[in-house]
Every structure is written in C-alpha cells, then in structure tokens.
Amino acid sequence: MKSFTAPRSLTGTGARFALLMVMVTAAAVPTFDTLLSILRDRSDKGVSQLRGTMGCLYAAGFDPRGSDLDNLMATMRRGGLLTKCFAEHAERPYAGLLATLALFVLAALVYWFLPAVRDRRRRTVAVGEVDADGTLGAELAALHERTGIRSALRFRVDPARMTSGAAVYGRTGSYTVCLHAGLLARRGTDPEGFRAVVLHELAHVHHRDVDYAYASTALWRVFVLLALLPTLAMDAWITVLALSGTDSPWWPDAATVIFASAGAGLLLAGLVHLARADLLRRRELHADVQAVEWGADPANWNRPEPPGTASVVPLLYRLAAPLRTHPGWAERRRVLADTGRLSRISPLEMFLTGASAALLTSSLGTLNFLGEDSTSLWLAVALVAPVICLVLGAPIVRARRTPADRAGSGAVAGLWLGCGLLVGEWVESGRYRVDWFMPQPQYLLAFLFIAAVPAVWWSQTLRLCLGLPKRMQRRAAAVLCAAVTAAVLWSGLWWWELGGRRIALGGGDMGGGGLAKYYARTVPGFWREYTMDLSGLSWGLALITPLHREQLAGAATILMWLVPLVLLLLQRPGARPRMRRTLVAGLAGGLVAWAGVALASFMLHFQRPGTPKERIGPFLVVHEWWTIVAVMAACLLTAALVAAFSRRHQLLRALIAAQVTQLAAYAGVFLLHAADGCLGPLNTVFDRCQWHADNGLNVGRAVVLLTLVSTVLGSACAALLGVGVAGAVRWVRRRRVAAGGSVRAHVPAPGPGPVAPVRRAAVLLRAGTVLALGAPAVLLAVVATTTPTSPAMSARLQQESTEQVKQPPDKQPTRPPGNPSGKNEAETAKLRSWQTWSWLNNGGAVHVQQVARAALSLKKEILRTAAKERQGNGKVNVDEKTFNRLCGALGKRAAEAGDYFPVPVQDLQKPWSNALSRLRHGARDCQAVTTPPNGNPPRTPAERERLFSASLAEVVKGITDLGNAYRSIYKTADTHGK
C-alpha cells in the first residue's frame, strides 16, 4: 500500500499550480494574437477585422445578422476549404507564440530576481546583526535540523514589520525565512508561539510549495500587466468606437463577440484569482498540520480573528472567504482538530479545474500548428486528466481503510467539474456566436455527464486497484485506469465538438431537417407513412453518431467495462465481490432486449409493404432504427436498475451488466434477421422460410456500428441517474423513519471469513468469463471502427443538410421593427461589400488570376498558330499536344475556382458559376478533340476542325463571361471593402 501513499513532503497542490500556469501561458497566445492584430491594423477602420480568420468566415458566407445555426451550416458547406483558408491566411501565425515566449522569459526573470528585490525593498538584515548572544541563531538552526530540510536556507529579519509573523520566499534550492521584528519580541514572552511560527514557515519549504506559489504569482502578474489589461482596454475602446458610429463588421448585429471577448478575459482573471487563492489557503493549512507534526503546540492557533473583519460584517466576511489567500483562524483550528478535512474534495477546486479545462481547450484550439481540433483537445485532456486523477485519488488512497459505504463516490466532485466545463464553454463559445443565447441551451447539461462519468469511474476503479494483492499489480492497474479515464473524458468532450455544440445551436437534424431529407431522397419509397419515425431517426442519430467511428472512443468504451471486470475478479480472495448477480442481471437485460426487438418487429408488421422490393426501402430503414432503439433502451434500463440496487461499485457493475445485455441483444438481432421468413408476424423482408445469414450480418453490422460506442457511454449516464434516483428514494425513506420515531437497529457488516484456497476450476471460470465477454466485444469494435464508408455518401449528406439553410435570392433578412427602410438597405449593402471583399481577398481574386493566366497562355498559342505559314489549302498545322496541355490547365484552373467558396451575394453567384461551367465545358471539348482516339471511331478532319473551333469559341465566351462576373463582384466589394 505504500506505493500509493503521497510523499509527506508534498501537499498535492503542485499539479493544480502547474495546470494554472499552463492555462495562463496557453491563454496568452490567442490574447497576444488578438492584441497585436488590432494594434497593427488600428487605422483600417474595421476592414482589418475582415482578414485572417474573420475574412475566411465572411468569404464562406458568415452573416452577423443571421443566427448561429445559419452561420454554422453556411461554413459547413466547405468545411475542408475553410480549414485550409484558416491555415493559409493566418496573419503572422507565430506572433502570439513569440510574444508568449517573451512573456514567459520575463516572468522567469521576475521569479529569479524577486527574492533579491524583496530584500532590498524591505531592507531586511541578517539574523546575526540582531542576535547579540547567538541564542536566536542556535535555536533557528535546531529547528532547521529538526525538520530535516536539505535545501539551502537562510534566516533574515525585517525590522520594519512589528507583527508577530514571518514569511518564506525564494527560488528552487535557495529559500529565505524572513522573521518580523514583532516575532523576535514574542520569542521572549511566548517561546512556543515563536517556534510554531518558524516551523510553519519551514513546512512551506518542506512541502516545496514556495516555488509553485511564487512562480505562478510572477507569471500571473506579468500576464495581467502585459496582456490582460491591454486587451480589456482595447475591448473597451472598440466598444466606444462602435457606439460612436465607426464601421465594424461586428457591430451591432454581432455585439456578443465584443462583449464575449471581455467576458472571457474577466472570467480568466476571476478564475485564476480564485484558483490561486484556494491553493494558497490549502498550502497554509498543510503547513499548519506539518508544524504540529514537528512538535508545535496546537494551542498557538487559538487566536481571535483580526479586529474589524467578522465582527463588523460577518456575512460579507464569509462571502469573501474564497477571495482571501490566507485561511481564518477558526478554519485553521478545525483542520488541526480534523486533518481529514484536507483530504476532502472541495467543490470549488473541482469547479475551477473544469473551467480551466474549458479555457485551456479553447486556447489550444487557436494554435494552428497543432493541426486538427482533436490534437489540441487531446493535449488539453493530457494536462487536465492527471490533475483530476490526483485530486480525486488522494482522498481514496488516504482513506483506503474506510468502509466503502462511507467513502465518496466522486459523483458530486464530477458534477462540480461538469459545472466548470459548462461555464467555461458558455463563455468561450460566445467569442464565435452572434446570438446572445443558444437556441437549445439545455444540452449544455451534457457537460455534467461528460465530467461525472470519468470521475466516478476513476474513483471506483481506483478502489479496486488498491484491493489487488501485489504492489506491481496495483501500480500497473492505476496507470491503466488513469489512461482510460483520460480517454473517456476526451470522448465526451470530442462528442461535444463533433455534434453536441451543433445540437445546442439547433442543428441536431443537420439544420432544417437535412438528415431526414437526405434519407427521403436517397432511399426511394413512400416516406409519408413514416413522418414521425423519420423525425425521431433524425434526432436520435444526431446524438449517437458523432463517435461511432472514432477508434479511440471505441477502445475506451471497451476498457470501461472490461478493466473493472478483470479487477473485480482479481481481488483478494476474502474481499472479492460476487459477480453472479451482475451477470445474471445482464442476461435478464438481454432477454428484455430480445423482447423489445421482437415487439418492434411485431408493431411494424402492420405497416409491412406487400412486395420484398418495397420492404427494402423506407420500411427497412425505419425497422432498423426501432431495432437500435430497442437495443439501447434495454441496455440503458439494465444499467440504471443494476446501479440503483447495487451497494458497491455501482457504475462498474452497471457497465458490465449493460455489456452482457448488449452482446445478447446483438445475437438476437442477428438471429431475427437471419431467420427472416420463418417467424410469422416478426418477418421483415422475406416471406419464404430460409436461413439468410447475409441478411443477419448486414443488419447486425449496421446496428453494431451505430450502437457499440454510444450504448456504453449512454449506459454510464443511465447508471448515474439510477444511483441518483435510488439515493433520493433512500433519503426520503430515512426522513420518514426519522419523522416516525422508529430507528432500525444497526447491523454491523459481517467481517471477512476465513480465506478459502483458490481452486483451479474457479480460476478457469473467471478467465472464461473474461474471454467470453471480451473477445466478441473486441471483434465487434474492430469491425465497427474499420468498416469503410463511402465518401460520396458523406459528401451527399453534407450537401443535403447544408442546402436547407440557403435562402432564395429574393428572400431578404427581416427588417428590425422601427428601423427605416433606407438604413436597413444601407446596412445590407455594407454587409455584402464586406463579404465579397473577403471572398476576393481570401482566394477569389487569386483564382481569377490563375484562370486568366491559363487563358492568356492559350490565347498566345492561338495567335502563334495563326501566324504560321499557311499550306496550299489555306490552313495551318496545329500542335495538338500543346493545345491539349493548355486546355487541360485551363480546365483545371476553372475547376479549382468552382471548388472555392460560393460568392456570398447570391445574385452574383449564378453568373460566376455559369462562366466557370462554360470554361470547363470548352476546355473539356478542346482536350477531347486534340486527344488521339483510344478505340473510339475516328472523327473526320472536318468534324475535328469544327469541334476544335467550337471549343475555342466556348472558351472565349467563358472568359468574357468570367470577366463580366468578376467586375460585378469587384464593384460590390469596392463600396466599403477597400
């Protein structure tokens, strides 16, 4: 067990201090990016806000007068192109990084020279200058020797401070304990009090928290002075300019972005201050406990509160407690009387950790060199997960001898962690939203489950790790469980990035029923009979599909139940929990799943079309959907009931039982569809009784693909709900019993009986159980996460979904009530000019230039050919290879221009796309006529000449049309864009 005990010289606050400094450093990069960009372009009168990221968004069709959902769908049409635009048009992408590096170096210098500056500023003197008889130095040396501190340590005196206190400061390996002059006077009247104060300061050195405290203080002060305050001042100045009438693409329709930037800065300031204050209070309490362990008398802490604090405004004093960096004397006495208080998880520290994780994820997401969003998210989770594991694990390790029913489960801590994630996401997402409130903010509550599931899972599995018989087993199991906890947290946050945020913005069905319309168009048949089913399918798939092909999420969900199963079976013989009831509950859930799948087939039997051809259309899609619903409902119900009726390891038992149910349900789905035609009213497609293994595999693969990952995560959420409901019911029963006056006699739990010898049959049975459940699950996970998907189908789905938000050209945004028509039209013209200017500046003009150069090369070849010496028939020889190459280059450039963002102004998009289409058609014909025939009937010279001339005429016409379209676009952009 000693391998799990935290070193006595550490307080456990070091990880949180480190996370705090990493968060400040990461937040400095986007802060400096924004600040430097504004300072560089301060004279552009709003146009600078159309460059870089903002310019790419406007080029993609961003409309500050629209809704968040409309803008999301507009930018999703060309998601890959938008990402490429961000990377290509980032203005000085390393400016913020270099500025952050300079800030970090400056903070390091402040940290390094701060002790010397403090000595000069306070005019401290060495102890020898005030120690006439040498007794003070001898006593301090004795106290230093008692603590066993090996770091270089010096004692000095501050003659100007008349309080009876002391302070410790310094840097790694060189610390200074500064004694106040009043403390030296106290030494003569209260020697025990003097020693207690000195031991308290030495405890800070022993705990190694001086470095963290002063390093974080130096970094934070430099960040506030050089980054935060200038940014807040710049936000205030931009607001003043916007209110004074300066043109800005953000004002007034996207004013939320300006206020969100200031709100994020204020949240960061408040968060860091609260976190630092909490950590500094905790380090003081730890130092008190350590001083008492070294022999200080606890009676020295029986001191009254300073005058003018609690006696004046007690309510205000209590409310301001989280802001203070030192605890009150009453709190210190309570901790000394019950040192277990330091092991308890504070809701404030979990809330601050969650908010730090959200801010850190957002800050790292702005670093383009990290690549995909998942990389920055993984980095954030890798930094936050160890802190969560340490904070939650330390109380469990220290209280490992406490009965399980008295130890915390981690649920409350997880909920506070989720609240921090929720608040951080709410504030940070405001930087990119134009609506003040999300259309469906209730989905933000998903963060409570995203945080609570890994927190509870880690707390319960860590207890199982402590129950393993060997030290190396405990270490390896704890490391593995910590890695799985990080993967589960990443899966939840990645689900939010992929689908949760879109659902909260109102785009759960891909916006405007895009997913339903996709199915209605791609699967022929009569969908009018399945309107309600299609609506439920669209909503449900938005919830369960974001992670269904993520291999890491699949591995995490497998390990979520497989690792606890192995740990439960490897516990010491006298403490091994019984798994029989859990497995039986899973089998019972499997029977419920079979009944649910059969019921779904029976209910749909009344709508079964008459012919097999009609049955493989909408009817089969709806049937598969209700099969998925039946499987997931059975698993979630099993998990909730098992968790509600379990006394120990509720979440782990629920996951194991849900997995047994899930595997049994998959077997039932396969048998139902493989025996299709032999089941009477349960038949789906076939009428003839025959074994259809392919049908069972195809349907089963679709069900597994969509439910394997989501069912495990959903079962974990259902288990937490089951535990919560069961706890509420037990609480109500206890209240009723207390009100009735009857108290049930406490029956002590039976102690462990004699340890029976381990039988070979029992070992084989446990190993067989793990293999019987693990092997099929791993095989299904491999099949589900490696099954290829059709890129064409994904592209078509995205096109169908995003087309729903396109407004017809004649549909203009609704005018705000009370605004004059002319003003609104002027704002519309200004918006169009900004959008088209961004469209040109971020690639449109480049594409036009590339097409023009390709056309000019073709024109030069035409002129060079026309200048050749003519033959006897009045014609000239044409270099077909050169024309084939030039026409191909022109067609390629036209295709690249066609793949660029649509023109934001819909009236200009049609001439642009028609001109590019004409160019591509002419270039294609030119290539076709100049390419030697490959097996095709050869054309006559006259026919080839006619086709060649027609293709060149088509190219010339396309170039003319493209020039006219470009001039119209430039004219629109030139109004306010230049």
Side-chain angles (χ1 to χ4, degrees):
M1 292 295 181
K2 292 182 180 180
S3 61
F4 281 92
T5 305
R8 294 183 60 188
S9 60
L10 298 178
T11 62
T13 57
R16 291 184 58 202
F17 268 120
L19 176 63
L20 186 66
M21 289 188 287
V22 170
M23 184 191 68
V24 172
T25 304
V29 178
T31 302
F32 277 124
D33 274 332
T34 303
L35 184 62
L36 294 175
S37 176
I38 294 176
L39 291 176
R40 182 176 60 248
D41 301 319
R42 62 187 181 274
S43 62
D44 285 0
K45 297 182 179 180
V47 177
S48 61
Q49 302 176 48
L50 299 176
R51 296 193 180 119
T53 300
M54 194 60 242
C56 293
L57 289 175
Y58 266 93
F62 177 85
D63 186 353
R65 301 176 305 171
S67 65
D68 288 326
L69 178 59
D70 293 338
N71 290 323
L72 176 66
M73 293 296 118
T75 54
M76 281 178 60
R77 296 177 202 152
R78 303 286 173 87
L81 183 60
L82 186 61
T83 304
K84 182 180 179 181
C85 181
F86 288 158
E88 292 179 350
H89 294 87
E91 297 184 0
R92 300 182 185 179
Y94 297 105
L97 194 62
L98 294 176
T100 302
L101 181 61
L103 178 142
F104 197 80
V105 171
L106 181 60
L109 293 176
V110 171
Y111 165 75
W112 187 262
F113 292 106
L114 185 61
V117 173
R118 180 166 181 169
D119 286 337
R120 291 192 183 95
R121 182 169 59 88
R122 301 298 306 180
R123 297 181 180 180
T124 62
V125 297
V127 170
E129 298 183 16
V130 296
D131 185 18
D133 54 2
T135 57
L136 175 61
E139 185 173 4
L140 293 176
L143 293 175
H144 186 190
E145 184 178 359
R146 180 195 301 183
T147 61
I149 297 175
R150 298 180 181 179
S151 301
L153 189 66
R154 61 174 184 163
F155 292 91
R156 298 184 67 84
V157 177
D158 187 351
R161 300 290 294 273
M162 303 308 298
T163 58
S164 59
V168 59
Y169 53 91
R171 56 179 181 267
T172 303
S174 178
Y175 302 102
T176 300
V177 177
C178 184
L179 310 178
H180 297 173
L183 182 63
L184 300 182
R186 182 182 177 184
R187 175 171 172 261
T189 59
D190 184 13
E192 286 294 331
F194 171 80
R195 285 190 286 271
V197 172
V198 175
L199 289 175
H200 172 90
E201 301 304 328
L202 293 177
H204 286 304
V205 180
H206 176 70
H207 290 156
R208 307 173 191 171
D209 57 23
V210 180
D211 303 296
Y212 287 112
Y214 276 82
S216 62
T217 300
L219 179 62
W220 175 241
R221 289 177 178 176
V222 173
F223 174 80
V224 170
L225 183 63
L226 299 182
L228 186 58
L229 289 180
T231 301
L232 293 177
M234 192 63 65
D235 289 336
W237 178 244
I238 291 175
T239 304
V240 171
L241 291 179
L243 293 174
S244 64
T246 302
D247 287 347
S248 171
W250 291 109
W251 191 270
D253 300 294
T256 52
V257 178
I258 298 177
F259 291 109
S261 176
L266 294 175
L267 174 66
L268 178 64
L271 173 66
V272 173
H273 179 78
L274 287 174
R276 287 184 62 253
D278 182 65
L279 289 170
L280 293 175
R281 287 196 306 272
R282 281 184 171 270
R283 82 180 191 123
E284 295 295 333
L285 297 174
H286 279 287
D288 290 340
V289 174
Q290 186 63 58
V292 172
E293 290 184 2
W294 281 337
D297 187 359
N300 292 294
W301 278 262
N302 295 329
R303 301 174 62 181
E305 298 292 342
T309 55
S311 59
V312 179
V313 278
L315 178 61
L316 182 61
Y317 184 77
R318 288 194 298 270
L319 292 177
L323 302 177
R324 295 193 294 271
T325 58
H326 279 68
W329 291 107
E331 184 179 0
R332 291 185 169 194
R333 289 191 293 270
R334 287 194 296 268
V335 170
L336 292 177
D338 180 15
T339 56
R341 287 178 174 270
L342 289 177
S343 302
R344 299 171 189 172
I345 302 173
S346 169
L348 178 61
E349 65 179 319
M350 294 307 298
F351 175 83
L352 295 175
T353 302
S356 301
L359 294 179
L360 183 61
T361 302
S362 177
S363 298
L364 293 177
T366 61
L367 304 180
N368 295 327
F369 61 87
L370 290 179
E372 299 179 355
D373 293 337
S374 59
T375 304
S376 60
L377 181 60
W378 242 124
L379 183 58
V381 170
L383 294 170
V384 173
V387 177
I388 297 174
C389 291
L390 288 175
V391 171
L392 294 175
I396 297 173
V397 172
R398 294 192 183 101
R400 59 186 180 275
R401 300 183 184 275
T402 304
D405 58 346
R406 294 177 57 188
S409 64
V412 176
L415 292 177
W416 279 107
L417 179 68
C419 290
L421 288 172
L422 189 155
V423 172
E425 168 64 23
W426 176 267
V427 175
E428 282 298 314
S429 63
R431 293 174 178 264
Y432 314 103
R433 291 189 289 107
V434 294
D435 294 334
W436 288 99
F437 299 100
M438 290 184 174
Q440 298 183 10
Q442 66 273 14
Y443 284 99
L444 287 170
L445 298 177
F447 281 107
L448 301 182
F449 291 101
I450 290 173
V453 167
V456 176
W457 190 90
W458 162 251
S459 300
Q460 295 185 4
T461 53
L462 183 59
R463 292 190 180 92
L464 295 180
C465 295
L466 296 175
L468 295 178
K470 297 182 179 180
R471 177 181 299 178
M472 291 303 298
Q473 291 178 348
R474 295 194 292 270
R475 288 180 176 178
V479 172
L480 176 60
C481 291
V484 175
T485 301
V488 174
L489 179 61
W490 176 88
S491 299
L493 295 175
W494 190 231
W495 173 88
W496 177 261
E497 294 290 335
L498 293 179
R501 183 179 290 113
R502 186 181 70 240
I503 297 173
L505 293 176
D509 59 348
M510 301 297 291
L515 191 60
K517 190 171 182 179
Y518 165 77
Y519 274 105
R521 288 190 177 183
T522 55
V523 181
F526 297 97
W527 281 98
R528 295 181 180 178
E529 301 177 5
Y530 307 102
T531 303
M532 297 296 295
D533 305 274
L534 189 58
S535 177
L537 183 150
S538 301
W539 177 81
L541 289 183
L543 291 175
I544 67 176
T545 54
L547 296 176
H548 74 290
R549 289 196 177 277
E550 295 291 335
Q551 296 182 1
L552 180 59
T557 53
I558 293 292
L559 295 175
M560 280 183 71
W561 63 267
L562 187 58
V563 170
L565 176 62
V566 175
L567 292 176
L568 286 169
L569 296 178
L570 291 179
Q571 296 296 296
R572 295 186 180 93
R576 183 179 299 122
R578 295 181 179 180
M579 295 298 299
R580 185 179 307 170
R581 294 183 178 179
T582 302
L583 298 177
V584 170
L587 292 176
L591 295 178
V592 173
W594 283 34
V597 172
L599 179 62
S601 299
F602 179 77
M603 296 300 295
L604 290 173
H605 181 75
F606 299 102
Q607 298 178 334
R608 188 168 178 250
T611 63
K613 183 178 181 180
E614 295 175 339
R615 295 169 193 162
I616 62 175
F619 174 77
L620 183 60
V621 174
V622 172
H623 186 277
E624 290 182 357
W625 165 245
W626 286 113
T627 300
I628 292 172
V629 171
V631 170
M632 294 192 66
C635 295
L636 268 61
L637 179 62
T638 302
L641 293 178
V642 170
F645 288 98
S646 297
R647 290 293 182 181
R648 300 177 61 188
H649 316 303
Q650 295 92 337
L651 176 61
L652 308 183
R653 290 180 179 274
L655 289 173
I656 295 171
Q659 183 61 31
V660 176
T661 301
Q662 191 172 1
L663 294 177
Y666 291 157
V669 171
F670 170 76
L671 292 176
L672 179 67
H673 290 85
D676 192 15
C678 306
L679 303 176
L682 302 184
N683 291 336
T684 305
V685 176
F686 302 101
D687 294 322
R688 183 180 177 182
C689 184
Q690 187 178 353
W691 184 253
H692 305 281
D694 292 340
N695 186 45
L697 289 175
N698 291 332
V699 177
R701 185 184 298 112
V703 174
V704 170
L705 178 65
L706 294 175
T707 62
L708 184 67
V709 175
S710 57
T711 299
V712 177
L713 298 177
S715 298
C717 298
L720 294 185
L721 287 176
V723 172
V725 172
V729 171
R730 285 194 291 268
W731 180 79
V732 172
R733 287 182 177 178
R734 286 196 298 268
R735 293 292 299 270
R736 290 181 178 179
V737 170
S742 60
V743 181
R744 181 180 297 179
H746 175 69
V747 179
V755 178
V758 180
R759 299 180 179 179
R760 184 182 300 272
V763 174
L764 294 177
L765 179 61
R766 292 196 293 270
T769 302
V770 174
L771 289 176
L773 295 178
V778 172
L779 179 62
L780 291 175
V782 172
V783 172
T785 56
T786 58
T787 301
T789 55
S790 173
M793 183 181 70
S794 302
R796 180 191 282 180
L797 173 59
Q798 187 174 10
Q799 181 180 2
E800 292 284 346
S801 61
T802 55
E803 281 179 353
Q804 303 303 312
V805 298
K806 296 180 182 179
Q807 295 180 347
D810 56 344
K811 183 177 180 181
Q812 300 296 336
T814 304
R815 292 190 179 101
N819 281 357
S821 172
K823 182 179 179 180
N824 189 67
E825 291 177 357
E827 293 175 353
T828 301
K830 185 189 303 181
L831 173 62
R832 288 184 176 183
S833 69
W834 280 332
Q835 289 177 327
T836 51
W837 189 90
S838 300
W839 185 88
L840 289 172
N841 185 64
N842 290 279
V846 173
H847 284 296
V848 172
Q849 293 172 5
Q850 291 175 346
V851 173
R853 282 196 294 266
L856 182 61
S857 299
L858 180 60
K859 181 180 180 181
K860 289 181 179 179
E861 182 62 22
I862 294 174
L863 295 177
R864 191 180 67 83
T865 303
K868 287 184 178 179
E869 184 179 356
R870 298 182 178 272
Q871 300 176 357
N873 56 3
K875 299 180 181 180
V876 296
N877 290 326
V878 176
D879 188 352
E880 295 186 4
K881 291 184 178 181
T882 302
F883 273 99
N884 184 278
R885 176 177 56 82
L886 295 175
C887 289
L890 178 61
K892 182 180 179 181
R893 295 306 183 187
E896 291 174 352
D899 291 336
Y900 182 59
F901 296 120
V903 182
V905 182
Q906 296 181 7
D907 296 339
L908 304 178
Q909 170 59 26
K910 187 175 181 180
W912 168 262
S913 59
N914 289 342
L916 292 176
S917 177
R918 187 184 294 273
L919 271 177
R920 289 196 300 269
H921 183 267
R924 186 170 56 249
D925 289 346
C926 174
Q927 278 190 294
V929 76
T930 55
T931 302
N934 295 325
N936 296 326
R939 296 187 179 96
T940 63
E943 184 179 5
R944 295 185 65 199
E945 181 181 351
R946 181 182 59 81
L947 291 176
F948 182 68
S949 300
S951 65
L952 294 182
E954 187 80 0
V955 168
V956 173
K957 178 62 175 174
I959 290 295
T960 303
D961 294 344
L962 186 66
N964 294 332
Y966 177 74
R967 280 189 289 272
S968 300
I969 295 172
Y970 185 83
K971 182 179 179 181
T972 303
D974 190 52
T975 305
H976 292 79
K978 290 188 66 176

